[in-house]
Every structure is written in C-alpha cells, then in structure tokens.
Amino acid sequence: MPAPPPAKPPAAYRRLRPRHVLRMLRIARTFAKYGLDELIGAIPFFRPYAWVSRLVPFRNRVVRTHTHGARLRLAMEELGPPFIKLGQILSTRRDLLPEDIIGELSALQDAVPSFPSDQAAAMVERSLGAPLEESFLEFDREPVASASIAQVHRAVLPDGEVAAVKVRRPGIERVIETDLAVMFAFAAQAERYLTEARRLRFVAVVGEFAKTIHDELDLEKEGAHASQLRRNFHNNPVLRVPRIYWGHTTRDVLTMEWVEGLPIDEPDKLAEAKVDVVEVSRNAAEVFFQQVFRDGYFHADMHPGNVFVGPGNQLRVVDFGIMGILAADQRRYLADMLLAFLRRDYTRAAEVHLEAEYVPPDTDMVAFEDALRAIAEPVLDRPLQEISMANLLMRLFQTTRRFHMPTQPQLVLLQKTMVNVEGIARDFNPEMNIWLALQPLLREWMEEEKGPTRLWNELRQEAPEWNRLLPRLPRVTSAFLERAVNDELVLNLRGPQLDQLRQEVRAGIRRLAFTWTGATLLVAGAASALIPGLGARLGFPAWWLAAGLAGAGLAAILWSLVDRRR
C-alpha cells in the first residue's frame, strides 16, 4: 500500500515566529548532542547542523556508552515537560517504535521541581476571585506533589473538609503551545522528506498528543472526568473516586476531596496494615471490567503512583487528566476478540477484526488468521499465572504494517491500562490471572448484550427516530421503488467488493420489505380501530382485528431489527 501524501499541521500551528525558530535550533542541538542525527539529518535545513555535531567530543562519548533508546530518553528529559509528556505517550505506541526504545521511554518520569508557593497562592486567588483566606481555612504552602503541568497543595475548606488543591503551573500553556508548533513543524518536514514518516503519520501522532495535553491543561475538564467516574461507581464500593468541589474549581485550579490511603507500590506498608492481597487483586479485576465493558469509560493512567488502598481493601484513584472512551460496538468487539483468543479460536478472532473494520475488506483472512495464531500462541501457551492479554494486544499492534490496520487510539490507551491493572493484580497475587477470573463475567456480559434486554433497550432508544420516519416511509419507499422500476438507480460496483455488496443489497431489500410491511400493518391496525361499526359487520370486536394487524406489524419491524443486528 503506497504511503499517503504529506500531511499539513493544523492552521493554528503553521505560522512560526522567532521564538519557534530559536526553540527548533535548541531541539536540533539537543538531538545532535545525543547522537540522534537521523531525527534531524533527514530534513535538509538541519543537515549542516547534524554534520557539524559529529565533531563534538561529548556526543561521540554518549554514542559509545548509551543505546539509541537511552539517548532518546536523555534528550527528551533535557528538552523539558512537553517532550517528557510526548515520550510517555510514545511509550504506548508499540505499533510505531521498536521494543528497546519503548522500554527506555517508559522510564520517563513526569516529576519536576515545584514552583514557588507565592505563585501558587496568587494563581488560586486570581482563579477563584477571592483572597486565599476567604476560600480556605488552611492552605499548606508546601506542595505534596509536583509535576510538569501542575502541583498539589493540601487545604481545608470553610466547612472543615480536607481537600487537595491542584494548581496549574504559571506560564505552562505558552511553553506547551511553543513546543507543539515546533513538533508539528518537525513532523510536517519529516513527512515531506521521509516515506516512513508519512506511513506512520507523524503529523497525526503529534495531533493526538496535542489533544491529550490540552485536556490535561484544562483542570475543569479533569474535574468533569472525575465526576463521571465517581457517578459510574456510585453503587460499587470497590473503587472510591474523590468528590470535586466545583465552587473551588476553575480551568487553572482543581479542588477535590483529600484521598487517604496506602500507596499500592509500597508492599511493606501494605503488609504491615494486613491488607488482603487476594481481595485487592479481585477488586482490581472488577474495577477494570466495569470501567471498560459496562461503562466504556476508563481511567487511562492507572500507574502505581495514582492508585491507593483504603480501608476494606478498597481501591482509590487520583489524577483524571487522561480518560479512555469505548463506544458500545467497540466494547462488544473487544470482548468477542478477547474471548476468541482465550478459546484459541483464531478463525473467530479474525472475523471479529473484519466485522469491526480493524482490517480492510480485501484482507487475506487465511493469512490474517495464521498471523493471529503466531501472535497469540507464544502468549497463551504459558503457565496460567503468566498469561498477559496486554502483551497479546501489544503484539497485535505490531502487525499493523503488514495488514494495513489503522491505529485505534482508544485501544492504545486501553493496552496501557491493561498493563497497569495486570501489574497490580500480579504484584498482589502472583498466582492469579485476572483474565481467567474475568472470563465468566465477559461471557455473561456478552450474553446480555446479545439478548432480549439489549434489543428492547435499542428499540426504546430508536423509538423517537421511528416516530419521525414512519409518516414519511410510504412516500420515500414509493419514490425508491419507482426509480428502481424506471432504471434510474445508479450503482458503482468494484470487482473485489461485488459479492459483499450483493449480499448487503439483498439484506437491505429484505429489511426494507419487512419494515414497509410492518409499517403498513401498523397503520392498517390503527385505521381499523377507528372505522365506525366495523365490528358489527365483521361479527367480532374490531379491536381483535386492530390488535392482530398491529401485532403482525410489530413482529415484522422487530424481525427487520434482528436481521440488521445479525
């Protein structure tokens, strides 16, 4: 498949100012310093810079003593918070980068020195529109945590509630916007000169990063994420999500309930507190299942620093800047795919990918099934406690080039979450495999999704649309049939897709016939109930006829919906 044409950055990032050019030169110098010549030498403007950099003694020493991945990590650490964030996101993109670089980028830590407390206090006062003493009874000047976007202070609200106040770093938005413009410029130039950069869609990757980091900059949006997750687990005590204090929250300041708990990555403290590790493992599996499959809304940054254990082995989470969303059809396909892999039914696993349109329609399904077998067997043919579906999903991403599978950003986030949840469960209970524990839940959920309850819920959701379409249906159907009879319908057919299109057309005509028949019977039933004296002429109550016609009409419409689901 030929590489796509070079992409252009969004309009807001196309105009470069002097500060952008200076930043580009510093980035080029840093990459050259760490021997990353290929990242800048491919762009003609920077080639002289790359050639001269080879004469620098420090560069030659670093190249000899560090791997390529380690040098990339060091360069990103030196370039500051936006590049550290980019490196962390790239560490989840196993479809883009080799494993040695992924391992190094995974070690990037988003920890930077705190900014002065006076600046934090001024930011809070400006954002909340009141002196600090009016907004809080207490406000600890020393932050309890600091990262590239914001830092957290402990405070006490006027009603006595203890709160965590997250304050955005002053000036960080300008820094990030400058670096985003430079990243887009580098990506666009790379796509212009490198075929591989176009295939990997460098500009689109930077675009995904821009969306993620903009979400993290908006602390009010992070509060909305936390509120949604808290509402989802309102009746489930295994996970506690802190309450948001909206009266003390803005785009620059987020105030939430203070979370008490033991850090999940400190086993000595957990053992001293006599935490039930088996129950914590089960809770982690249950939390993952509800977030991903029942709700389709999951915390996408559940690394150990964001997870705590509270009384009763309850899990508690913080930091809601990155959330993943899975639509209902994505959840069904994911569950179907995981169950197929766990059963080692690679034919069904391949079919699921085709149905979900994760692979093109003209994919060689025999070859794809064989590739899935090669991906899964090394993962599944291990002791039960060592089976990792996160590892399987990672290996699946690595087949994207061969079968032209487009990257699914939400599945990339999900794979990262799976790694974290598997790690939590395995650290607490090495003998447990959460996927075997989840298998019955997945089967039960899939049966619910394909059962009558799901069908009834879909009918209720579609009722307003049917109410709008039914009065127009006779006229639209008549016009369609008239055009078909007069040979006025034009179909553009392609050879490889012809059989599939024929099947879809036949199925569409069949569904249309059932829908039209059902609608006609419903209208006839309603009309018969309104005709005066009809029952006397028929010799039985008119409502019998009306009910029979309406029942037959509903049955026909229901059949058309069931046929569509198949």
Side-chain angles (χ1 to χ4, degrees):
M1 179 179 288
K8 292 182 179 180
Y13 295 100
R14 290 179 193 170
R15 184 180 178 185
L16 297 182
R17 301 180 183 277
R19 72 173 187 273
H20 298 134
V21 176
L22 292 174
R23 180 63 170 159
M24 288 178 76
L25 291 174
R26 185 190 168 194
I27 292 168
R29 184 186 66 189
T30 304
F31 282 160
K33 171 183 172 182
Y34 287 100
L36 302 169
D37 303 353
E38 71 278 9
L39 296 179
I40 56 174
I43 302 173
F45 179 77
F46 291 110
R47 279 176 190 163
Y49 214 105
W51 293 335
V52 172
S53 72
R54 295 175 185 175
L55 304 176
V56 178
F58 174 82
R59 171 205 180 274
N60 296 327
R61 187 167 61 252
V62 169
V63 171
R64 286 195 305 270
T65 57
H66 292 75
T67 65
H68 188 275
R71 285 183 276 125
L72 181 59
R73 174 178 56 79
L74 291 170
M76 288 193 156
E77 287 176 343
E78 185 169 316
L79 288 170
F83 279 84
I84 291 174
K85 285 281 186 186
L86 177 62
Q88 290 173 331
I89 289 176
L90 288 176
S91 72
T92 68
R93 297 299 302 270
R94 287 175 164 83
D95 56 321
L96 296 182
L97 300 173
E99 199 60 31
D100 59 326
I101 293 180
I102 291 289
E104 287 289 344
L105 294 182
S106 298
L108 284 168
Q109 296 297 314
D110 184 21
V112 296
S114 61
F115 56 90
S117 58
D118 289 344
Q119 292 184 18
M123 174 71 81
V124 172
E125 290 181 339
R126 184 168 60 252
S127 296
L128 300 185
L132 204 61
E133 296 75 16
E134 291 184 14
S135 300
F136 302 98
L137 291 179
E138 298 177 18
F139 186 88
D140 291 356
R141 296 284 177 152
E142 193 67 27
V144 296
S146 176
S148 57
I149 301 293
Q151 65 188 33
V152 179
H153 294 258
R154 184 183 181 278
V156 179
L157 295 171
D159 61 1
E161 290 286 340
V162 181
V165 182
K166 190 172 185 177
V167 186
R168 197 169 73 172
R169 188 174 288 271
I172 188 63
E173 192 163 14
R174 179 181 172 86
V175 171
I176 286 174
E177 289 301 322
T178 297
D179 276 1
L180 282 177
V182 172
M183 289 176 189
F184 273 119
F186 270 117
Q189 288 296 305
E191 287 202 18
R192 181 179 178 184
Y193 294 106
L194 298 173
T195 302
E196 187 68 1
R198 293 197 294 275
R199 190 194 72 79
L200 295 176
R201 301 167 65 236
F202 274 19
V203 172
V205 170
V206 176
E208 290 175 21
F209 168 66
K211 181 181 181 303
T212 299
I213 203 164
H214 281 145
D215 284 349
E216 290 194 61
L217 281 172
D218 189 346
L219 298 186
E220 203 165 33
K221 182 175 285 188
E222 181 178 341
H225 293 163
S227 287
Q228 177 68 57
L229 192 62
R230 178 182 172 86
R231 189 159 56 250
N232 290 349
F233 280 85
H234 177 67
N235 295 319
N236 192 338
V238 300
L239 180 71
R240 181 172 176 179
V241 179
R243 180 168 70 255
I244 302 300
Y245 299 111
W246 289 110
H248 291 72
T249 294
T250 67
R251 194 172 186 274
D252 298 324
V253 175
L254 172 63
T255 306
M256 67 175 67
E257 179 184 4
W258 182 264
V259 173
E260 295 282 0
L262 298 171
I264 204 164
D265 57 349
E266 296 188 13
D268 293 340
K269 291 184 179 180
L270 295 172
E272 185 180 341
K274 298 181 179 179
V275 169
D276 186 338
V277 294
V278 175
E279 186 174 354
V280 170
S281 300
R282 285 199 298 262
N283 289 348
E286 183 179 339
V287 165
F288 174 82
F289 174 78
Q290 176 169 333
Q291 287 188 86
V292 173
F293 294 102
R294 291 209 179 276
D295 301 328
Y297 191 81
F298 61 94
H299 192 304
D301 199 16
M302 285 185 67
H303 63 76
N306 287 338
V307 185
F308 302 85
V309 180
N313 305 303
Q314 181 188 61
L315 293 175
R316 300 178 171 189
V317 291
V318 296
D319 196 350
F320 308 93
I322 306 176
M323 304 296 289
I325 300 174
L326 293 173
D329 57 343
Q330 288 179 306
R331 283 177 266 158
R332 286 194 288 270
Y333 286 129
L334 178 64
D336 215 350
M337 179 180 69
L338 290 176
L339 287 172
F341 275 125
L342 288 170
R343 293 193 304 264
R344 301 193 181 190
D345 184 352
Y346 302 117
T347 301
R348 179 57 190 155
E351 290 172 352
V352 170
H353 281 80
L354 186 64
E355 292 168 8
E357 298 181 356
Y358 291 165
V359 292
D362 58 350
T363 299
D364 182 342
M365 295 305 289
V366 174
F368 186 53
E369 179 185 337
D370 195 49
L372 294 182
R373 184 178 293 104
I375 289 167
E377 283 299 316
V379 176
L380 300 176
D381 197 20
R382 301 173 68 87
L384 292 179
Q385 65 271 20
E386 295 180 16
I387 293 176
S388 168
M389 298 305 287
N391 186 30
L392 189 148
L393 202 57
M394 177 269 291
R395 291 169 63 88
L396 182 62
F397 291 156
Q398 293 173 340
T399 68
T400 56
R401 181 182 302 185
R402 179 180 171 191
F403 291 98
H404 312 301
M405 295 167 60
T407 300
Q408 306 291 330
Q410 294 301 322
L411 293 186
V412 172
L413 282 178
L414 178 63
Q415 192 269 342
K416 176 185 173 185
T417 302
M418 289 165 69
V419 169
N420 290 327
V421 172
E422 284 183 354
I424 290 171
R426 192 162 288 136
D427 288 345
F428 277 91
N429 186 6
E431 299 302 315
M432 176 186 178
N433 184 283
I434 66 169
W435 301 107
L436 294 180
L438 286 177
Q439 201 168 354
L441 293 175
L442 282 174
R443 286 204 187 97
E444 181 183 347
W445 181 79
M446 285 295 289
E447 288 173 3
E448 290 176 4
E449 286 294 296
K450 294 180 178 179
T453 303
R454 177 70 187 181
L455 178 60
W456 173 245
N457 289 336
E458 285 191 0
L459 281 173
R460 286 197 306 171
Q461 291 174 2
E462 296 292 337
E465 186 68 11
W466 277 107
N467 190 46
R468 185 181 70 84
L469 290 176
L470 275 175
R472 301 169 51 204
L473 192 60
R475 184 173 68 254
V476 172
T477 306
S478 176
F480 172 80
L481 294 175
E482 185 175 345
R483 292 187 66 185
V485 169
N486 295 332
D487 291 331
E488 294 177 0
L489 290 178
V490 179
L491 297 177
N492 294 320
L493 305 179
R494 296 180 182 177
Q497 301 171 346
L498 188 57
D499 290 339
Q500 181 183 355
L501 184 57
R502 283 190 185 124
Q503 293 175 4
E504 290 176 358
V505 169
R506 289 193 190 106
I509 292 173
R510 184 172 63 247
R511 289 194 294 268
L512 181 62
F514 274 106
T515 302
W516 168 242
T517 302
T520 303
L521 290 171
L522 280 174
V523 172
S528 64
L530 299 175
I531 298 175
L534 179 62
R537 290 196 295 271
L538 293 175
F540 55 84
W543 67 266
W544 287 9
L545 176 63
L549 291 171
L554 282 173
I557 292 173
L558 282 171
W559 178 257
S560 73
L561 290 172
V562 171
D563 192 44
R564 183 183 69 178
R565 284 163 58 85
R566 293 190 304 177

